[in-house]
């Protein structure tokens, strides 16, 4: 490849890699921004959970009972049991007879409900070196211990949130890899973007909205890119770091796995936390007493707090131990100040020591990305940063087509038309899909069989509809004109958003006067207000996107009136 | 068809080569860093964390160096040959450590 200079090479990289991976990055940024309020979206989607956040409930009187009655997931058992089980050892252990090996419970300062999980061990594993766990998960109301119905989908934390890092494409983790590659090329696009736009300070203050669409769009692209440049770079980089060990650079899970395993054994010896089961059965002392002791020790270290994560290892074995971690709502770094107890007698085995400098940096970076801290203003700034990322990518798409569509029209090329259809799908289409999913959540009966699966399908169908509509309406782009689908989809978003707010009111009785004034519940009010803001913004956008002929008629009738 | 090959040769190949070369170099460097630090008595998790913190800025640098280098032997050689040598060295160190 021959470029006249480095800047030209950078411009090529920025344009084409930005375009190709921009479609994926739009999903990452938009649903990443929504994930900042994933728990609040969950509250909107599951009206039974609209109550205040709760601390970790009693293990002894409530959680243990829930753990003991929770079963392994059917789909996971069917998928993994034939892989984990040693066929020479006889028949597979039936699903409901798998013994529990680990329990965990997790909550944050924004969770009214409690997420709990169990790792069941395979009694006769093929590979004894591996983890061999089949899991079961359950969400409960911590006030009563009652399970949430399994057909309720937590739209925020179980659909929008994983969408931003895995695209919800879980076959062989393909979605993780696509997002990882896109995140890397996001870094490439940012560096090459800075390289080609050298006058970065001036572009910070330049937005000429009165200029032609192409110029104004480029100004907005540059401005939104520069304003949130550190934010964009940071999130792409930390997203890569968070998943590096598992997916993007699994050095220690593949090539250096023997070294990793050796270290785990050494670590178990030095920390006193058993690596394996002993095979000797043992009962468990009061975990509530261990929680009290952990809280006392945190308070003594001037960091009094609630339990965020609790885990029991090697359940029912003499080597069993309980790890209790502090909720990190008062700090950026994702540290749990873990305290570990011997399960059989409650003796403290270990308090996690302060981490090394490198580990502290990594905890700060991942904590800043995952934002477990309690700071609402900062959370809104995250949303703003994420949406600025969407603006930057969307204006990049528009600039790409605006710059080329006249030339493509002359050459009878379909390039701009195709790019425009994809751009519409990933700009207005993902909003339509998200809002349609929320609307479907309110309209489908609460006790409907597999309601959550239906909501997922409706999301996918809405996205496919957006693409189909954008493609079918794209003929004007081939003539160098605007695609009317932009305006039509904006109007659709406005209508859907208002309908979703109304549907929430009619199906739950939670209207905005109630959720803001008479019986404040900001999680639901916030989602409703955001939907109304989306409706207003898309209505305004649609009015700006009027066809040229309508605009001329409007201005001539206005002139005649005057 | 000729256009397809021209686009592949002129545009896609250099990007893919820069990506793969950068990745291989980063893989080699991180694995050597981890096994090397453990060999010198360092903590495994600390070494792993340092490796992952450094990995992506290095990957990014290598990508640009190879891409801008436009098939010159130095960036390509450093990335591909260097990556393989470092990976082999890391594997060798690991073998010594677990023995």
């Amino acid at each position: 490849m021959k470029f006249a200079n480095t800047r030209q090479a950078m411009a090529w990289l920025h344009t084409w890699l930005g375009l190709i991976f921009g479609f994926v990055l739009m999903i990452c940024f938009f649903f990443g921004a929504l994930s900042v309020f994933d728990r609040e979206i969950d509250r909107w989607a599951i009206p039974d959970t609209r109550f205040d956040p709760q601390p970790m409930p009693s293990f002894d009187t409530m959680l243990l009972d829930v753990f003991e009655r929770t079963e392994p997931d059917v789909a996971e058992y069917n998928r993994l049991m034939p892989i984990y089980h040693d066929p020479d050892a006889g028949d597979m252990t039936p699903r409901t007879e798998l013994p529990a090996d680990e329990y965990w419970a997790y909550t944050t300062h924004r969770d009214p409900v409690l997420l709990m999980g169990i790792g069941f061990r395979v009694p006769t594993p093929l590979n004894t070196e591996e983890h061999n766990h089949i899991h079961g998960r359950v969400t409960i109301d911590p006030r009563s211990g009652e399970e949430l119905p399994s057909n309720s989908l937590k739209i925020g934390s179980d659909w929008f949130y994983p969408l931003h890092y895995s695209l919800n494409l879980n076959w062989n983790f393909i979605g993780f890899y696509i997002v990882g590659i896109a995140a890397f090329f996001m870094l490439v696009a940012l560096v090459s973007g800075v390289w080609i736009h050298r006058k970065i300070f001036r572009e910070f203050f330049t937005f000429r909205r009165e200029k032609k669409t192409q110029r104004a769009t480029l100004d907005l692209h540059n401005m939104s890119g520069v304003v949130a440049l550190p934010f964009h770079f940071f999130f792409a980089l930390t997203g890569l770091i968070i998943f590096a060990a598992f997916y993007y650079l699994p050095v220690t899970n593949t090539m250096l796995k023997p070294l990793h395993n050796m270290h785990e054994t050494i670590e178990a010896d030095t920390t006193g936390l058993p690596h394996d089961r002993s095979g000797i059965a043992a009962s468990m002392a009061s975990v509530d007493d261990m929680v009290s002791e952990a809280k006392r020790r945190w308070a003594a270290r001037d960091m009094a707090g609630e339990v965020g994560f609790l885990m029991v290892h090697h359940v029912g074995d003499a080597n069993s131990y309980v790890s209790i971690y502090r909720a990190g709502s008062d700090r950026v770094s994702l540290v749990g100040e873990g305290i570990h107890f011997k399960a059989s007698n409650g003796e403290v085995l270990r308090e996690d020591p302060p981490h090394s400098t490198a580990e502290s940096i990594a905890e700060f970076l991942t904590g800043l990305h995952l934002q477990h801290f309690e700071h609402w203003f900062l959370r809104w700034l995250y949303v703003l940063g994420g949406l600025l990322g969407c603006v930057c990518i969307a204006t990049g798409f528009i600039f790409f087509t605006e710059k080329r569509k006249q030339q493509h029209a002359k050459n009878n090329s379909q390039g701009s038309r195709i790019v425009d259809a994809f751009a519409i799908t990933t700009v207005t289409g993902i909003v339509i899909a998200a809002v349609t999913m929320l609307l479907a959540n309110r309209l489908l009966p609460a006790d409907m069989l597999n309601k959550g699966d239906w909501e997922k399908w409706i999301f996918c169908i809405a996205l496919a509809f957006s693409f189909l509509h954008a493609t079918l309406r794209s003929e004007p782009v081939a003539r160098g004109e605007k695609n009317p689908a932009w305006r039509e989809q904006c109007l659709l978003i406005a209508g859907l958003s208002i309908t979703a707010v109304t549907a929430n009111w009619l199906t739950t009785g939670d209207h905005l006067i109630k959720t803001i004034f008479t019986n404040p519940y900001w999680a639901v009010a916030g989602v409703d207000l955001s939907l109304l803001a989306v409706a207003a913004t898309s209505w305004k956008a649609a009015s700006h996107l009027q066809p040229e002929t309508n605009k001329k008629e409007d201005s001539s009738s206005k002139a005649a009136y005057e | 068809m000729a256009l397809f090959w021209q686009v592949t040769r002129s545009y896609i190949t250099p990007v893919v080569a820069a990506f793969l070369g950068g990745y291989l170099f980063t893989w080699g460097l991180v694995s050597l860093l981890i096994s090397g630090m453990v060999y010198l008595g360092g903590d495994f998790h600390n070494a792993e964390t340092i490796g992952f913190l450094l990995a992506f800025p290095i990957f990014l640098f290598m990508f640009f160096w190879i891409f801008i280098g436009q098939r010159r032997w130095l960036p390509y050689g450093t990335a591909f040959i260097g990556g393989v040598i470092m990976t082999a060295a890391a594997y060798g160190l690991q073998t010594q450590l677990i023995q």
Side-chain angles (χ1 to χ4, degrees), chain A residues 238-255:
Chain A
T238 50
L240 287 168
I241 291 172
I242 287 168
F243 285 120
F246 304 102
Y247 305 112
Y248 305 147
L249 206 67
V251 180
T252 49
N253 279 317
T254 53
M255 193 183 96

Side-chain angles (χ1 to χ4, degrees), chain A residues 285-297:
Chain A
S286 165
V287 175
D288 288 353
D289 288 348
M290 299 177 209
V291 168
S292 301
E293 176 60 15
K295 284 184 178 175
R296 191 192 65 73
R297 287 181 181 239

Side-chain angles (χ1 to χ4, degrees), chain A residues 17 48 74 171 174 183 230 247 253-254 281 286 309 342 360 370 376 388 401 408 448 480 484 505 539 549-551:
Chain A
L17 295 181
D48 289 345
V74 178
W171 179 77
I174 186 89
Y247 305 112
N253 279 317
T254 53
S286 165
F309 186 64
K342 191 170 177 62
S360 300
L370 299 171
W376 296 104
L388 272 172
T401 45
H408 285 179
M448 181 182 180
W505 172 16
W539 183 267
T549 46
N550 288 9
K551 275 188 184 170

Side-chain angles (χ1 to χ4, degrees), chain A residues 89-102:
Chain A
D91 291 341
M92 291 193 295
T93 310
R95 183 180 67 85
T96 53
E97 289 174 24
L98 287 180
D101 190 43
E102 65 185 22

